[in-house]
Amino acid sequence: MTDVEERAQGTGRRPDEPNPYLMGIFAPVRDEITADDLEVVGEIPRDLNGVYLRNGPNPRFDVTGRYHWFDGDGMVHAMSFEDGTARYRNRYVRTRGLSREEAAGHPLWAGVVEPPAGNPVGTARGLPYKDTANTDLTFHRGRVLATWYLCGGPMSMDPLSLETLGAETFLDTLHGDVMAHPKLDEHTGELMWFDYGARSPLLRYGVVGASGAIEHEVAIDLPGPRMPHDMAITENYSVLMDLPLVADPDAARKGRHKLFFDRSMPARFGVIPRRGAAEEIRWFDAEPCYIYHVVGACEERSAAGHDTVVLDVCRVTRPEPRPTRPGPIGKLLGYLRLDARLHRYVFDLDTGATTETQLDDANTEFPSVDTRAQGSGAGYRYSYGVHIAEHETVRFDGLLRRDRVTGERQDHFFGPGRFGSEAPFAPREGGTGDDDGYLVSFVTDERDGRSEVEILDASDLAAGPVARVLLPQRVPLGFHATWVRADQLRSP
């Protein structure tokens, strides 16, 4: 038996069953490069100034066991724009786990679908998994925080050089982990976050003040361990989630990580004053579902004169794994399938009632809004999401723009064999409104393996790209992105 066959047998994977998330447009790139002499099709707008950054999994070492797409080491790809010019660079997020493995010369952690016995502890909560910081990017106090989907230690990076500056401790006030999607209120400078785990406290909610230190933190009681992924903020409140996707207790007793969607439980949403005490949280019940990502939230007065919190999300109605083919790889692919629709919840603070409505029928995810609208009184007007392709692997084949007021939608599809990335709104310098600017997205063509950046007018997606910047290196498909404005880069 060959070494490859022995490794495959040990993981329950046939040696002739390649993992699609390690091939083609998902295959890792190991070279870290900087390139500024780039070919441009069209003309880069001179009022597009800032940097577009996208995170994603990129294994540093060859994978020997069953690989889950979420396992790969974080790598950030960035395109900076200034006065009609562009520069590309990519760098690994130099996490503590990656540094330990590089010193050893080989992987020290098995992936999340392998038994964790023998793995080193990798998180403040004591999880035996490697915190790869491969999921999201949030600009905060002059730096970009790279975060991890299972809750981990945020890694601080320079938004231009992509140098990893170290673990972010919020001036030594962070004692635990932070979830993947902390929320920044640019108006107050506050950063809201939560942390969850299997041991008490099951949920912690906190606020990093404008000082850079955690100034408020409370433990939230839950009926049992949960795995929330995102949260929302309004001008006065934060919205937390208690959703019926839970760890399978039988699998946990056997040392395996397996999720179970319990349809007998409602989805619950906790509305808490931004710096409220645990006893001030109010829970609102809704139909069972799972939610990966929030579009946005705001406070409104209802037609009946009631105070409400309005929450827009991408709602998953079928979170159970749906294998795409027989065998372990089919089961793994089933876990990663995305089936989500734009959905609105209205929580009546006067009556305690919940109203929920589907807003659109497109399979869409990875939503973003103008970050300046997050936490503001009026909330956002336009949202921008990706369209999920019909494929056994997760691919984004287009971008969708939706008007929150009128419901009007505009679509842009990348074309046959071309797949893109989350495209956060990039305001043009001197612009007004949250569609007066651009969308920027890495796009990779699976037919030739070439990657580029598309720049689109955010107010007219149907017109197609105003410019395309061709890249010297393929950008594997990945996760979340952010836009950092030039004025933010200039701020001390």
Side-chain angles (χ1 to χ4, degrees), residues 8-89:
Q9 186 180 69
T11 61
R13 176 170 58 88
R14 298 193 306 270
D16 60 344
E17 190 179 20
N19 189 320
Y21 283 102
L22 289 170
M23 302 168 59
I25 54 179
F26 294 95
V29 296
R30 304 275 165 68
D31 292 335
E32 297 173 296
I33 69 170
T34 299
D36 54 11
D37 186 17
L38 303 173
E39 181 180 350
V40 178
V41 179
E43 185 174 350
I44 298 172
R46 292 186 177 273
D47 55 5
L48 176 66
N49 292 294
V51 58
Y52 167 62
L53 306 104
R54 201 220 67 199
N55 206 347
N58 197 89
R60 172 67 178 82
F61 293 98
D62 290 342
V63 176
T64 57
R66 287 175 294 182
Y67 176 75
H68 189 291
W69 193 28
F70 296 175
D71 288 340
D73 296 292
M75 175 177 276
V76 177
H77 302 261
M79 284 290 296
S80 56
F81 298 92
E82 183 177 11
D83 194 29
T85 64
R87 170 178 292 177
Y88 166 80
R89 73 180 66 208

Side-chain angles (χ1 to χ4, degrees), residues 15 39 85 149 242 272 283 291 318 348 360 380 383 489:
E39 181 180 350
T85 64
Y149 80 104
D242 172 11
I272 185 172
W283 290 102
I291 294 164
R318 295 190 296 173
D348 192 316
D360 198 278
Y380 76 93
S383 64
L489 296 171

Side-chain angles (χ1 to χ4, degrees), residues 127-165:
L127 290 178
Y129 300 109
K130 182 170 65 169
D131 175 358
T132 59
N134 68 9
T135 307
D136 200 8
L137 298 165
T138 302
F139 183 76
H140 181 242
R141 291 173 54 83
R143 300 179 175 188
V144 168
L145 304 182
T147 46
W148 187 50
Y149 80 104
L150 278 181
C151 284
M155 296 301 296
S156 181
M157 304 182 73
D158 184 281
L160 287 177
S161 71
L162 301 189
E163 176 189 0
T164 299
L165 304 174

Side-chain angles (χ1 to χ4, degrees), residues 166-180:
E168 177 59 68
T169 64
F170 303 120
L171 304 180
D172 294 324
T173 60
L174 176 63
H175 305 291
D177 294 318
V178 171
M179 55 30 135

Side-chain angles (χ1 to χ4, degrees), residues 416-459:
R418 292 164 55 85
F419 302 97
S421 299
E422 182 178 69
F425 175 68
R428 72 176 183 88
E429 294 220 349
T432 59
D434 54 356
D435 72 338
D436 191 2
Y438 305 94
L439 300 187
V440 183
S441 177
F442 287 113
V443 178
T444 298
D445 194 320
E446 69 175 351
R447 297 167 298 184
D448 59 12
R450 292 291 304 272
S451 292
E452 62 185 53
V453 166
E454 284 194 359
I455 303 168
L456 298 113
D457 183 336
S459 67

Side-chain angles (χ1 to χ4, degrees), residues 216-247:
H216 179 73
E217 183 178 328
V218 294
I220 306 294
D221 188 32
L222 296 177
R226 301 289 187 265
M227 296 192 69
H229 188 69
D230 204 353
M231 64 176 292
I233 61 172
T234 69
E235 186 174 13
N236 297 295
Y237 299 98
S238 291
V239 183
L240 305 171
M241 303 184 202
D242 172 11
L243 305 173
L245 187 67
V246 299

Side-chain angles (χ1 to χ4, degrees), residues 296-434:
C298 66
E299 300 164 36
E300 290 184 350
R301 184 62 62 88
S302 72
H306 295 176
D307 291 328
T308 68
V309 169
V310 181
L311 173 69
D312 292 344
V313 303
C314 295
R315 179 180 184 267
V316 179
T317 56
R318 295 190 296 173
E320 305 97 333
R322 288 170 287 142
T324 61
R325 59 170 102 157
I329 290 294
K331 184 181 296 185
L332 177 64
L333 296 175
Y335 267 104
L336 288 166
R337 290 177 69 90
L338 277 177
D339 183 12
R341 304 293 185 271
L342 285 178
H343 205 77
R344 173 167 295 163
Y345 295 93
V346 179
F347 308 120
D348 192 316
L349 301 180
D350 293 334
T351 68
T354 301
T355 304
E356 52 181 305
T357 309
Q358 182 172 308
L359 301 177
D360 198 278
D361 60 0
N363 188 356
T364 182
E365 253 290 355
F366 284 54
S368 63
V369 300
D370 185 346
T371 58
R372 298 171 300 182
Q374 189 165 255
S376 69
Y380 76 93
R381 171 74 184 265
Y382 298 98
S383 64
Y384 308 93
V386 300
H387 185 267
I388 309 299
E390 285 291 333
H391 201 277
E392 70 172 2
T393 56
V394 177
R395 301 171 180 224
F396 308 149
D397 61 359
L399 300 175
L400 309 180
R401 167 191 184 268
R402 189 176 187 279
D403 186 328
R404 181 176 179 271
V405 175
T406 68
E408 177 191 8
R409 197 181 86 197
Q410 289 188 19
D411 303 343
H412 167 70
F413 289 92
F414 299 118
R418 292 164 55 85
F419 302 97
S421 299
E422 182 178 69
F425 175 68
R428 72 176 183 88
E429 294 220 349
T432 59
D434 54 356

